Amino acid sequence: MTETIACRSCGVSLLAESRYCHRCGRAISATGPSERNPWIIAWSLVAIAITVITWSVLKRDGTAPAAPPPQQAGTPPDISQMSPRERFLRLHDRVLGAAERGDSATVTRFAPMALQAYGMLDAYDDDLRFHAGLIHLQLGENAAAIALADTIQAGSPGHLLAEILRADAADQAGDRKGFDRSRRAFLANFDREVASGRPEYTEHQKVLDEFRTRAEAP
């Protein structure tokens, strides 16, 4: 019988040898303290690499975050001081912005980096899961996007952003019936969900309005 373990973040069942949760993206470790040390070091090196690459790209593009007053003139801002959430969202914006411009090379380069940053977060919410789902969709990883939609609705039944992830995944896969199910569920839950006042709905108002237009189209 195949041995399984549960993800400490979302509780989904995983194979014992799994390194990452397919649902929420968290790193999985079932090893003892001595065995975990190499992984802690490895993730630290990944975080450093993400920090350096992200800073160099954002500096080149002129979109680097403003730094507090430097102690010495000419000292560049330290992007390592960004929180894990800020780092992930900055990489997410880089990927989605490139996708809108049709820059597939940048998407291919930065999407895995963004998902690595997502995996290193110490806390998750529905908004972050939605952002991660959008990145998975850019990579054609429809099953991963749907898994995140399931996670969102496990805690927030009827969540509109989850239905958008499902609909877009179905659309990419050519699953017209799947798209229609999500379209109908989105419209059925729209008024009640918007009235709930979820903060992520305010942030993604444009996304909701655009999908509603698609969902209502013949």
Side-chain angles (χ1 to χ4, degrees), residues 91-115:
L91 288 166
H92 162 275
D93 292 345
R94 175 77 179 180
V95 172
L96 271 293
E100 290 178 359
R101 298 190 303 272
D103 184 357
S104 59
T106 296
V107 171
T108 301
R109 178 183 177 189
F110 284 92
M113 193 184 305
L115 292 175

Side-chain angles (χ1 to χ4, degrees), residues 141-184:
E141 297 171 350
N142 296 333
I146 292 173
L148 285 166
D150 290 344
T151 302
I152 292 172
Q153 289 197 327
S156 307
H159 202 292
L160 300 177
L161 297 181
E163 293 300 347
I164 291 177
L165 287 179
R166 284 203 186 93
D168 285 345
D171 197 24
Q172 286 191 171
D175 179 5
R176 186 62 197 177
K177 290 183 178 179
F179 177 86
D180 194 54
R181 281 195 300 271
S182 294
R183 176 186 71 83
R184 291 176 182 275

Side-chain angles (χ1 to χ4, degrees), residues 85 125-128 130-131 149 152-153 155-166 185-211:
R85 184 186 184 102
D125 56 36
D126 292 339
D127 185 57
L128 288 172
F130 176 66
H131 284 293
I152 292 172
Q153 289 197 327
S156 307
H159 202 292
L160 300 177
L161 297 181
E163 293 300 347
I164 291 177
L165 287 179
R166 284 203 186 93
F186 177 91
L187 292 176
N189 294 322
F190 186 86
D191 290 338
R192 173 176 57 82
E193 280 294 303
V194 169
S196 71
R198 298 185 193 278
E200 60 265 32
Y201 290 164
T202 300
E203 178 183 350
H204 297 291
Q205 184 64 55
K206 181 180 179 181
V207 173
L208 294 174
D209 291 343
E210 289 177 348
F211 186 79

Side-chain angles (χ1 to χ4, degrees), residues 24-25 88 113-121 124 128-129 132 148:
C24 71
F88 165 65
M113 193 184 305
L115 292 175
Q116 285 180 328
Y118 177 78
M120 289 187 288
L121 294 173
Y124 296 88
L128 288 172
R129 294 185 180 101
L148 285 166

